[in-house]
Amino acid sequence: MSRPRSFGERGQTIKRNASLAPAPQNRDLQGKDSRMIDFNAVQERLLAALEFSAHADQLVMSYYGEAGLKVELKQDQSPVTAADREAEDLLRQRLLEMFPRDTVKGEEFGETLGDSGYRWILDPVDGTKSFVHQVPLFGMLIGLQYQGESIAGICRLPATREVVYASRGQGAWWQQGDSAPVRAEVTTTAALKDSLFCYTAVEGFQQIDRIDVLDNMAKQCRLSRGWGDCYGHMLVATGRADLMIDPLLEEWDACALIPIVEEAGGVFMDWTGRSTAVGGNGISLTPKLKSAVEAVIAPTSR
């Protein structure tokens, strides 16, 4: 089967999203550590990344469901396909063409260093196992940091035609198909007994010897569902689930999630309670559940 690989080539017409969230006033943004962040620079990068990721979205979907798609295993035994590699390559090229002084790090091709203070972190297909099994619960993650702080994020869900994006101080926004973006907001659920809990796989809890966390959550929450990877975190950010727990999470999985979940009014934290992309795990949740969840994930004496 032949297909064009020149998604987003100059001169090619791809429908732009004319209904993005209204641009807020031009002003400097204050990071969580009181560092001032140039609003115009962040907005320029966010809009560019939304456009570039739309091209990469099309590329990924051109492979989705393809008979005979070759699946390779990386050194850590996780799967990778041409969709992962080509989508990351497209994103890296476009970002470095427009912002040549920025740093770009991706899951598939490592890190290209820059000196602007801005750092992109890419996961072109988050949920490759779902992707290769033709299950639509996979996504594309693009995170942006400034001086080490996660300040903007994009999560595209190509198969369900959704995109959720945010930048620090500007809220989180959710667009479905061609409809206008709406505010993404977490729920106000206040008790585990009323909550919908999401996770990716049983094996992750087994690998860190914390199957007790999964068992306790399943017992205490109203519903438990394996709607995993970035899809589960986006369910929390858009108010369709209350809690998503990942016992294993890489930096490229987490960076984009932090500003999206937090700008939607939620909490993103590792299992020690820190808002970080490098904790090795991650939890997205509505704020009123935080203390109850911390009690469940607290280290055991086993």
Side-chain angles (χ1 to χ4, degrees), residues 34-256:
S34 300
R35 181 186 297 116
M36 298 307 295
I37 304 168
D38 182 353
F39 164 78
N40 288 329
V42 175
Q43 189 74 352
E44 179 186 20
R45 284 167 171 79
L46 178 63
L47 293 175
L50 281 166
E51 180 179 350
F52 301 155
S53 62
H55 303 319
D57 180 307
Q58 290 188 5
L59 190 156
V60 167
M61 287 304 293
S62 77
Y63 281 106
Y64 185 56
E66 179 185 283
L69 176 66
K70 184 178 180 181
V71 181
E72 301 174 28
L73 293 180
K74 295 187 284 190
Q75 190 172 8
D76 64 359
Q77 298 302 298
S78 62
V80 65
T81 71
D84 299 78
R85 292 180 174 131
E86 292 181 20
E88 181 174 321
D89 187 54
L90 186 156
L91 290 169
R92 295 175 78 97
Q93 287 186 34
R94 296 292 187 271
L95 290 170
L96 288 172
E97 283 175 5
M98 191 161 186
F99 308 108
R101 294 181 57 197
D102 289 3
T103 292
V104 178
K105 179 179 181 179
E107 179 176 4
E108 308 306 332
F109 298 117
E111 189 161 15
T112 301
L113 296 177
D115 61 3
S116 68
Y118 290 96
R119 182 173 183 249
W120 299 92
I121 303 179
L122 313 175
D123 188 350
V125 181
D126 182 65
T128 301
K129 292 176 182 177
S130 293
F131 175 78
V132 300
H133 285 90
Q134 299 180 39
V135 175
L137 310 187
F138 62 91
M140 177 182 301
L141 293 167
I142 303 175
L144 178 63
Q145 295 180 333
Y146 181 69
Q147 302 290 10
E149 179 184 345
S150 296
I151 58 170
I154 297 169
C155 178
R156 284 196 176 273
L157 303 169
T160 62
R161 299 188 63 225
E162 299 174 70
V163 60
V164 188
Y165 57 95
S167 61
R168 192 66 68 190
Q170 307 305 314
W173 299 87
W174 174 29
Q175 183 176 31
Q176 301 178 81
D178 295 325
S179 63
V182 298
R183 284 273 187 177
E185 297 178 324
V186 301
T187 70
T188 58
T189 301
L192 289 178
K193 66 181 179 64
D194 300 319
S195 69
L196 169 54
F197 157 54
C198 296
Y199 61 95
T200 298
V202 175
E203 292 81 4
F205 295 90
Q206 292 173 331
Q207 190 171 334
I208 65 167
D209 196 25
R210 291 303 308 271
I211 197 69
D212 61 293
V213 171
L214 182 59
D215 290 342
N216 286 330
M217 284 296 176
K219 291 174 184 176
Q220 295 188 48
C221 296
R222 180 176 60 88
L223 285 174
S224 300
R225 293 291 182 267
W227 298 331
D229 299 306
C230 62
Y231 188 84
H233 293 276
M234 291 306 100
L235 290 181
V236 174
T238 56
R240 293 176 283 177
D242 306 295
L243 167 65
M244 168 71 187
I245 298 182
D246 258 318
L248 297 168
L249 213 60
E250 298 287 350
E251 184 179 22
W252 46 75
D253 301 315
C255 184

Side-chain angles (χ1 to χ4, degrees), residues 9-26:
E9 291 286 337
R10 300 196 185 281
Q12 180 182 359
T13 301
I14 289 184
K15 183 178 179 181
R16 282 178 174 264
N17 184 353
S19 56
L20 289 175
Q25 289 182 332
N26 287 359

